[in-house]
Amino acid sequence: MIYNIRKIFTILSLMILGGVLVYNCEPEPDSLGEQLFLDGAANGKEVPYDITAYNISNNDTIRADANTLYNLLGSTANTSATGVLGAFNESQFGMQKATYFTQLRLPANDPDFGTNAVVDSVVLVLKPIYRSDSITTTTDENYVYSDGNVDAKKVVNTYPAVKYGKAKKKMNIQVQEVIDFMNGYNDPVYSNTNFAVNSTVLGSKEFSGNVNAITITKDSDGSSLFSSAAGFRIPLSPTFFQSKIIAKKGQPELKDVSNFIRYFRGLKISVEESDGYLFQFYPNDMELIMYYKNDKDENGTNTRPQLKYSFSIGSANAHSGYYQYDRSGALQYSFGDQTIGDKKLYAQGMGGNSIGVKLPAPTIDKLKKMYQDQKAAIISAKIRLYIDDTVWSNPYAKPSAFTILQGDKDTNGKTVFDYTTDYSVLGSASTFVPFRTYDTTEGYYYEFTVTQSLKDIVESGKDYKDKFYKIDLAQFISTSAGSLAGFKYTSRPFSMGRTVFVGTDPSNVKNAKLRVTYGTK
C-alpha cells in the first residue's frame, strides 16, 4: 500500500504536538518523521532504545462462540466474520487443529412434509474464502440431469480456497451429530470446549482445496435445472434425516425452537488429518439442504416431485470453534520473561501466543532527561520487530494485520487493556497508520506506532511502572458505520497466522527496539 507520507506525518505531528513543521525536500519514504522539524528546530534524529519484548501465553485458549466468530454486535458489526477448519503441523509451533460446531433450526416450526415423504439426499454446503481471480472452467455438454433423466449442460467453475499451511495436501472433512446441548446463542464458549458427538459419521468428503460453482441447464430450452454459488458440498446420510426429521412430522420435537435444539443438538464439522492447512469460511453462508419427494396428485397421477427443504444454520444459532494444539514436537523456548525478555517471540492467532513489550526504566529515564535538559520533543516513536529468518524462512504468508493494545494495572492490581492513546487520539483519522511493513536487504520487519502513548509517559510524567503493550496477529473489527467496535473486538478467534520474531536479544543485530525520532532547537 502506498501512502502520502508528507500529509500523514504533517497531520500526525500537528495533532500531537500542535506545532509548525518544516520538512526536508527529500524525505525518507520509509521513516516516520525522520525529516520533520519542530518549531524551526535545527535537527531531527532517530535513536534506537532498548525494550523488553516477551511472549504472553494465552493458554492456547480464546473465546470462540457465536458472538466472536459470527456477529459481534448484532447487525451493526462483523457481518463477514469467519470460522476456521483444518490442521497444520510444523516444527516451530507444533500442531494446530480447528473444528467447528453449529446448531441448526427449522425455518418454520411444525413443518408439513406431505404424504409419504422420502428423503432423496442431504447436503451440507460450506463457503470457504477463495481466490476469485483464479478460475478454471469445465463444461460437460453431454450431462444427464438425474431427476427425470434430462439432457443438459453442466458448467463447473473451480476456484482455489485461501489456505494457510501445506496448500497441496488433501483433507477429509467429516460431519457428526452433536449429543451435548450447546446452550444459547449468547452463551460464552471457549476454544477448548469439545462437545460430545455420536460416533457415527453422517457424511464425509475429500477436500482438495478447491470450491466449485455449478450451473446445469436444459439442452432443450436453456432453462436452469440447478445452480449453486462457489462452495464445498458434503453429502450426508438420507437415512439419518428420514428418521430424525421426516419421521417426526407432527411430533413435539419439531413443534418449537426450544424442543428442536434439545432434540437435534447440532453438527460437528472437522478434518480427519492432523497436518495439512487451515482455511476460513463464512458461518452465516453455510447451507444444510434436504431434498425429498412426497405424493402429489396431478389430474389423477401421482407425480412425486422433488422438493427442497433448507434448514436455518447461520444467524441466531449457537456456533463455536474448537482448537486443539500439540506442542510436543515444537521447538522449546524461553517464555514470558518480563525482566530480561525472550530472545524469540512466537506470535500465533486463534488463542496462541501474544507479544508483550515493556519500556524499561533506563529507556524512559533517558528520554525524560533529554526532554527536560534539551527540550527534545518526540516527533514519532515506533516499536520495530524483525521476523527471525533463522527459524522462520518459509513460503507461508507473512502477517498483514496486527492489533496493539496498552495494558496496565487497575486499583485492585488486575491487568486491564485498552486502545493505545495513539488509537484513542488518531484512530478515527484516515491518515493514521498503526503499523508499517518493510522488506529490506537487512530483513523483513514491522514498525508499530506508539508516539502519543510514549509522549504521555515522557512529556506528561504519567506513571508507567505497570504499563506494557500487547501485540496480536489480528485486526480490530469495525462496525457497519466504519468505526472501531471496541478494543475487545478483534479477529483473533479466527486468525490463522503465526510468525517468529526476534525478541530481546542484545547479541542479535535485529534485536527488538524502540525507535524514537525527536527534534531539538
Side-chain angles (χ1 to χ4, degrees):
M1 186 176 292
I2 300 174
Y3 301 91
N4 185 326
I5 304 300
R6 288 187 178 180
K7 182 177 179 182
I8 290 173
F9 298 155
T10 301
I11 294 174
L12 174 63
S13 300
L14 281 171
M15 292 181 72
I16 294 175
L17 300 175
V20 178
L21 304 177
V22 179
Y23 46 82
N24 191 294
C25 293
E26 298 178 356
E28 189 66 40
D30 286 341
S31 298
L32 184 57
E34 280 189 12
Q35 306 298 324
L36 301 179
F37 301 94
L38 177 67
D39 293 331
N43 61 72
K45 185 178 182 182
E46 183 182 82
V47 178
Y49 292 92
D50 291 334
I51 57 176
T52 305
Y54 55 94
N55 294 285
I56 297 176
S57 171
N58 295 305
N59 298 314
D60 286 339
T61 305
I62 192 171
R63 184 172 170 179
D65 50 54
N67 278 286
T68 51
L69 293 171
Y70 166 60
N71 198 349
L72 297 174
L73 295 177
S75 62
T76 61
N78 203 22
T79 54
S80 61
T82 59
V84 183
L85 280 174
F88 181 34
N89 196 345
E90 42 77 23
S91 61
Q92 295 298 313
F93 292 85
M95 192 276 291
Q96 182 182 38
K97 187 171 185 177
T99 295
Y100 201 78
F101 290 98
T102 179
Q103 283 179 337
L104 64 153
R105 301 180 186 224
L106 302 170
N109 294 328
D110 199 16
D112 183 359
F113 301 106
T115 305
N116 296 326
V118 176
V119 177
D120 285 337
S121 62
V122 182
V123 62
L124 175 69
V125 186
L126 298 179
K127 302 292 181 66
I129 297 174
Y130 61 91
R131 302 189 187 281
S132 60
D133 59 350
S134 180
I135 180 173
T136 301
T137 300
T138 58
T139 302
D140 184 354
E141 297 282 359
N142 300 311
Y143 184 76
V144 177
Y145 188 59
S146 59
D147 188 18
N149 293 320
V150 180
D151 291 337
K153 179 173 75 172
K154 181 180 181 181
V155 179
V156 179
N157 290 327
T158 301
Y159 307 88
V162 177
K163 298 176 282 288
Y164 188 90
K166 302 175 178 72
K168 294 184 179 180
K169 291 228 176 187
K170 295 181 179 180
M171 294 188 293
N172 288 293
I173 300 178
Q174 64 181 15
V175 182
Q176 294 167 278
E177 179 192 11
V178 175
I179 58 176
D180 278 345
F181 180 53
M182 291 179 60
N183 298 317
Y185 174 89
N186 292 312
D187 293 317
V189 181
Y190 287 84
S191 60
N192 58 354
T193 302
N194 184 20
F195 294 106
V197 296
N198 190 318
S199 60
T200 301
V201 175
L202 298 181
S204 67
K205 187 176 180 180
E206 184 180 77
F207 182 57
S208 65
N210 299 315
V211 297
N212 296 319
I214 303 171
T215 301
I216 302 174
T217 55
K218 277 185 183 181
D219 283 348
S220 59
D221 59 9
S223 61
S224 176
L225 291 169
F226 177 84
S227 65
S228 67
F232 179 69
R233 301 170 67 87
I234 306 170
L236 305 184
S237 168
T239 303
F240 172 84
F241 281 85
Q242 182 74 33
S243 61
K244 193 78 175 181
I245 303 297
I246 298 293
K248 292 296 181 179
K249 173 187 171 182
Q251 297 186 27
E253 289 89 338
L254 309 188
K255 289 287 186 180
D256 59 49
V257 171
S258 180
N259 282 351
F260 185 76
I261 63 175
R262 287 166 173 80
Y263 164 62
F264 195 165
R265 296 180 176 180
L267 296 173
K268 175 183 180 179
I269 310 167
S270 61
V271 299
E272 296 181 36
E273 293 77 9
S274 296
D275 190 20
Y277 48 80
L278 302 169
F279 67 93
Q280 296 175 329
F281 65 98
Y282 294 122
N284 195 40
D285 290 345
M286 286 192 298
E287 296 178 88
L288 179 61
I289 305 168
M290 180 176 70
Y291 298 94
Y292 69 99
K293 292 178 180 177
N294 61 15
D295 290 343
K296 183 176 181 181
D297 186 3
E298 290 187 359
N299 300 320
T301 301
N302 185 4
T303 58
R304 292 190 65 79
Q306 186 178 75
L307 303 172
K308 176 180 175 181
Y309 188 84
S310 297
F311 293 87
S312 173
I313 197 170
S315 177
N317 289 290
H319 302 261
S320 63
Y322 169 49
Y323 305 149
Q324 298 165 270
Y325 295 86
D326 183 357
R327 307 288 192 192
S328 58
L331 186 72
Q332 299 299 308
Y333 52 89
S334 59
F335 200 90
D337 193 325
Q338 299 183 33
T339 303
I340 63 172
D342 294 327
K343 291 185 177 181
K344 297 185 187 300
L345 308 175
Y346 292 79
Q348 186 178 24
M350 294 165 55
N353 310 329
S354 303
I355 295 173
V357 174
K358 297 196 73 159
L359 304 177
T363 292
I364 298 301
D365 290 344
K366 287 178 185 176
L367 290 168
K368 283 186 172 181
K369 183 172 177 58
M370 286 177 57
Y371 179 67
Q372 293 166 0
D373 296 350
Q374 303 176 39
K375 304 301 181 186
I378 295 171
I379 296 173
S380 74
K382 55 236 179 177
I383 296 167
R384 180 181 292 186
L385 298 178
Y386 280 88
I387 288 179
D388 191 338
D389 53 17
T390 64
V391 296
W392 196 254
S393 179
N394 51 54
Y396 310 133
K398 291 180 173 62
S400 59
F402 291 89
T403 60
I404 179 168
L405 295 175
Q406 194 153 14
D408 205 345
K409 294 284 182 68
D410 63 13
T411 54
N412 297 317
K414 180 183 177 181
T415 299
V416 293
F417 292 97
D418 204 341
Y419 290 122
T420 64
T421 46
D422 298 86
Y423 269 98
S424 300
V425 173
L426 296 173
S428 60
S430 60
T431 53
F432 176 58
V433 182
F435 71 92
R436 289 178 179 275
T437 304
Y438 299 88
D439 188 1
T440 69
T441 55
E442 62 182 11
Y444 201 100
Y445 65 89
Y446 298 84
E447 290 188 337
F448 301 88
T449 301
V450 292
T451 307
Q452 186 60 48
S453 53
L454 183 64
K455 286 170 67 67
D456 286 346
I457 295 171
V458 173
E459 298 177 11
S460 66
K462 290 184 179 180
D463 178 62
Y464 68 93
K465 178 173 63 72
D466 295 317
K467 284 183 168 61
F468 67 99
Y469 299 104
K470 184 167 83 78
I471 299 172
D472 279 297
L473 305 186
Q475 62 184 6
F476 291 118
I477 299 297
S478 297
T479 68
S480 58
S483 59
L484 295 178
F487 75 89
K488 294 181 180 179
Y489 301 117
T490 77
S491 62
R492 274 188 61 209
F494 46 89
S495 174
M496 301 184 295
R498 80 280 309 274
T499 302
V500 183
F501 294 93
V502 178
T504 299
D505 184 1
S507 66
N508 194 324
V509 294
K510 298 178 181 178
N511 186 24
K513 289 286 187 180
L514 172 69
R515 303 186 73 87
V516 180
T517 301
Y518 61 88
T520 57
K521 290 184 177 180

